[in-house]
Amino acid sequence: MSLADQAERAARLAKADLVTGMVGEFPELQGVIGGYLAAAQGEPAAVADAIRDQYILPNQPVPIALALADRLDSISAFFSIDEKPTGSKDPFALRRAAISSIEMITRNGLRIPLSPALRGALANFAAQRSEAGPVHRLDRTADELLAFFADRLKVQQREAGVRHDLIDAVFALGGEDDLVRLLARVKALQDFVETGEGRDLLTAYKRAANILKKENWTGPQVLSSREEQGIPQTGEEDPLVLVEEPGMAEAVAEMASGTAGAELPEEQALIGALDSAEPRASAAVEAEDFTGAMAALASLRGPIDTFFDMVTVNDPDAAKRERRLNLLLRFREAVNAVADFSKIEG
């Protein structure tokens, strides 16, 4: 019998002992009695162990599968009927179930994408009740569940000295629901931001973000370049429209990247650092080398500091101003590709 078959068999028998007189009289024996009964009727040892250990934190494949599935199923079911913990009230111990689930995943290095697992549990519960419901409702509940697990992760990691804002910074990227990978990323981020280079880069990031916010610079803009080319402006243009004229698309893209016309050595140095750091950071993240990704970001610290010291961003010349704002935008996005630094405190 395969591990998957054993896990399914354990799930079918997991709660059978709850109807026995022994568990009725001694509730603390639930699971324990089930394990003995399963062994006595000739079930595989892994099945009996899974039934016995479902209420603790097991460390073997079949018991882990049962214990984790049981908790995710319970949490999802209660969220589906809007019985969520509120304030200090948690009558169904959902917070404890979430923390023990996180503990199992992280302690055993389980590479489980949490979102699909939670969505599967929600869909299973809905199917059991014959209430499929609209997709947007499932999406909303899945998002609430993921946020709930994020909060529990912060609580669970607090004792390990992990900063909650750094967990937020990684979660904010979106699509990161592998808790093992997420915590590896958070650890590398914490190691980095607690160094001098990391603190300086965070300061530069916040300075760049503040300038962009003040100027309402939300995307690459090349309006002066379009005006110089004789293209009429209505004020409603897409900020990165690539027009039909030969070579114009390349010129617009170059302008939007902050590269075109960069005559100051400090601009050129920052452009060169970004050209080098962006692909290195991206490759490192892809390879789950998060320390390497932070090292790539660290290479930006010197050039961005010098840029701020020597370059006037809000230059009277519109083209220079646009180019430099686009360059700051590129710097911010390069950093945010590794973690959302706007979520980091200090």
Side-chain angles (χ1 to χ4, degrees), residues 208 211-212 215 217 221 255-268 270-271 274 304 307-308 310-332:
I211 292 172
L212 294 168
E215 297 298 321
W217 207 260
Q221 297 185 34
M255 191 68 182
S257 71
T259 303
E263 74 279 0
L264 295 180
E266 294 80 14
E267 291 178 283
Q268 295 168 358
L270 181 55
I271 290 167
L274 285 165
I304 189 64
F307 177 87
F308 279 130
M310 305 301 295
V311 177
T312 301
V313 176
N314 286 320
D315 194 282
D317 185 305
K320 291 181 180 180
R321 176 174 169 274
E322 289 170 8
R323 179 178 69 246
R324 291 164 186 173
L325 287 170
N326 287 336
L327 189 52
L328 288 185
L329 184 68
R330 183 183 172 191
F331 163 73
R332 188 187 69 181

Side-chain angles (χ1 to χ4, degrees), residues 80 120-133 138:
S80 293
L122 289 169
N124 182 58
F125 181 74
Q128 289 173 352
R129 302 181 73 202
S130 300
E131 294 179 4
L138 186 147

